[in-house]
Amino acid sequence: MANKIARVPAREQEPKVRAANFEEVCYGYNESEAVLEASRCLNCRNPRCVGACPVSVKIPGFIARVAAGDFAGAASVIAEDSSLPAVCGRVCPQETQCEGSCILGVKGEPVAIGKLERFVADWTRENGGAAPAKAEPNGHKVAIVGSGPAGLACASDLAKLGYEVTVFEALHRPGGVLEYGIPEFRLPKDKVVAAEIDQVKALGVKIETNVVVGRTVTIDSLLDDEGFEAVFVGSGAGLPKFMGIPGENLNGVFSANEFLTRNNLMKAYREDYMTPIHAGDKVVVVGGGNVAMDAARTALRLGADTTIVYRRTEKELPARLEEVHHAKEEGIDFAMLTNPVEVLGDEKGWVRAVRCIRMELGEPDESGRRSPVPVPGSEFEIEADTVIMSLGTSPNPLIARTTKGLETNRRGCIMADESGVTARRGIFAGGDAVTGAATVILAMGAGRKAASAIHEYISGKNREQ
């Protein structure tokens, strides 16, 4: 029976080897491995995995095609709902979504849905899959702010409905967090990100880079002067947070956003680029999410002994289990139940150590997690010459400040309903700009919902006329 087959492991670089390079860690499945793993799927009548996928990929449908060796057919099934399958197959938290809902996971190992999605996307790219067909133009224009996962998903769905879609990106390369935030060893830029964006462009989507909405143009001018009937704001959450402790302004203290942007978007890890980056010999990364893991694993590859400091236990780490596992394999230290109270500097103004205090878990906080409480008299120092703060991010306030009628909450997030509808008629928003920092796939789901709402809005305007 299919459920008696053991889950097929994905091949990876050896930890000691990969800790010294920026090549992709996981090699993924080959054809025979993918077919065998796909044969484990029970093809449930009521597939829970689909309901757990934020973009509602028809998972049993594409897996059945893989099991039959019809990889092109599998790609067609995925393409109905996802514009970034090679990305999602690599960075989605499948263990808490589709795979976490797989019935096989109740008493054993769930189907490796993410690895199969990645295989299909990679096979299609390497074997010259057919370019997506352009839809017949419907004569309506929509603007998208931000070319990250939310913007790309919204743009794709609208283009398939015949809209003339233009995406405005502030940076010099499209992709948003896919480009500047996630390291090459997890998500190759040219091979994967650029290739999938090219597929979005093939639908007819135009992407204009180096356009800072709120400075170069405003949303009001796009609606009033440029002929766009609706605007979707998917500008993400790139404004870093700090702890507010003494010493955070010392040389050698960075936000994870700056550190990763220098390394990923600006290619600081490559010898043929002149981008400066400071890692030093000993790095302390403060935080426990996926971004903290990315920053720590990047610092390690740049030659630093790296320690992750987190104020709760390993059980409460918000990062993906796979990322934590990989970080440990590569030799990163974890200082759990530890919280910085001061960054200490030398006479020249550079970081020399981080003063920390031991923590213990008390009562649950608003999120349901037990609140960390300091242990009196337990302060100690960790030697460091670089400190990377990975404490979350919030949306840049520029768009809300320069757009009439947009409302924000106390965290600076644009207020919108589940469909992306904001307080301003014709303006929609979704992804991290609305929720704060979350996952790629949740942002894509928000983009798809907003595309549907935009289509309904413009169609309704036409009926009224």
Side-chain angles (χ1 to χ4, degrees), residues 339-355:
N339 202 40
V341 293
E342 184 178 3
V343 182
L344 304 173
D346 62 18
E347 65 280 359
K348 295 182 179 180
W350 284 86
V351 172
R352 67 169 180 83
V354 181
R355 178 175 291 138

Side-chain angles (χ1 to χ4, degrees), residues 5-354:
I5 301 172
R7 178 170 165 136
V8 179
R11 292 162 290 112
E12 298 177 345
Q13 283 196 72
E14 289 296 322
K16 289 184 179 179
V17 175
R18 71 186 191 234
N21 67 57
F22 280 85
E23 296 171 13
E24 191 168 14
V25 168
C26 182
Y27 295 127
Y29 287 149
N30 59 31
E31 291 187 11
S32 60
E33 290 168 339
V35 170
L36 180 59
E37 179 60 25
S39 71
R40 298 180 64 234
C41 180
L42 300 178
N43 201 8
C44 303
R45 184 171 298 177
N46 296 304
R48 302 190 305 183
C49 55
V50 176
C53 174
V55 297
S56 302
V57 171
K58 300 172 184 66
I59 294 168
F62 96 76
I63 291 180
R65 299 286 184 93
V66 174
D70 179 12
F71 308 137
S76 296
V77 173
I78 295 173
E80 293 175 18
D81 302 292
S82 177
S83 53
L84 303 171
V87 169
C88 293
R90 285 168 166 82
V91 304
C92 275
Q94 289 98 2
E95 67 272 15
T96 60
Q97 294 177 161
C98 54
E99 292 181 21
S101 298
C102 177
I103 194 69
L104 287 182
V106 175
K107 293 185 178 180
E109 289 290 315
V111 175
I113 298 168
K115 296 293 190 293
L116 290 173
E117 182 180 25
R118 168 190 166 150
F119 165 78
V120 171
D122 289 354
W123 183 93
T124 304
R125 182 183 66 251
E126 292 162 6
N127 289 274
K134 290 185 180 180
E136 193 69 28
N138 64 16
H140 301 284
K141 291 173 61 177
V142 177
I144 309 284
V145 182
S147 66
L152 292 172
C154 186
S156 296
D157 278 12
L158 289 171
K160 290 174 184 176
L161 292 169
Y163 288 90
E164 181 184 335
V165 182
T166 302
V167 180
F168 297 99
E169 169 56 50
L171 298 175
H172 63 281
R173 282 178 63 109
V177 70
L178 307 176
E179 186 68 36
Y180 73 77
I182 304 176
E184 186 81 9
F185 56 81
R186 279 219 293 142
L187 186 63
K189 305 304 169 224
D190 292 333
K191 185 177 83 171
V192 174
V193 177
E196 298 218 311
I197 291 175
D198 283 344
Q199 289 294 96
V200 175
K201 290 180 179 178
L203 293 168
V205 174
K206 291 181 284 188
I207 300 179
E208 295 188 17
T209 57
N210 300 308
V211 178
V212 180
V213 175
R215 286 287 183 268
T216 315
V217 296
T218 65
I219 289 178
D220 290 328
S221 68
L222 292 175
L223 290 169
D224 297 339
D225 306 323
E226 302 293 334
F228 291 100
E229 296 179 59
V231 175
F232 171 72
V233 181
S235 50
L239 189 65
K241 298 177 183 177
F242 287 85
M243 294 188 71
I245 59 176
E248 279 187 313
N249 61 344
L250 287 168
N251 296 320
V253 180
F254 302 92
S255 70
N257 266 36
E258 179 184 351
F259 185 75
L260 289 171
T261 298
R262 285 179 177 274
N263 192 76
N264 302 335
L265 177 70
M266 301 171 71
K267 311 296 185 188
Y269 70 95
R270 286 175 47 171
E271 293 183 359
D272 55 335
Y273 277 71
M274 299 298 291
T275 305
I277 192 166
H278 177 76
D281 297 321
K282 294 182 182 295
V283 172
V284 168
V285 177
V286 182
N290 290 323
V291 176
M293 300 302 143
D294 286 343
R297 295 173 70 196
T298 295
L300 181 78
R301 284 161 169 77
L302 292 173
D305 290 333
T306 306
T307 301
I308 288 175
V309 172
Y310 184 61
R311 61 183 185 155
R312 291 183 168 91
T313 71
E314 184 174 335
K315 182 180 178 181
E316 285 82 30
L317 278 171
R320 290 185 65 193
L321 294 176
E322 182 177 72
E323 302 310 316
V324 175
H325 172 68
H326 282 159
K328 285 184 173 181
E329 280 189 327
E330 292 164 8
I332 289 170
D333 292 325
F334 284 74
M336 312 306 292
L337 288 171
T338 301
N339 202 40
V341 293
E342 184 178 3
V343 182
L344 304 173
D346 62 18
E347 65 280 359
K348 295 182 179 180
W350 284 86
V351 172
R352 67 169 180 83
V354 181

Side-chain angles (χ1 to χ4, degrees), residues 354-396:
V354 181
R355 178 175 291 138
C356 300
I357 190 167
R358 303 286 185 193
M359 310 293 284
E360 60 185 8
L361 295 183
E363 295 301 315
D365 62 12
E366 295 176 356
S367 69
R369 294 185 297 175
R370 293 172 63 192
S371 300
V373 180
V375 177
S378 65
E379 292 189 7
F380 67 103
E381 292 182 9
I382 300 176
E383 185 181 351
D385 43 30
T386 303
V387 177
I388 300 172
M389 295 292 182
S390 181
L391 306 167
T393 54
S394 59
N396 189 313

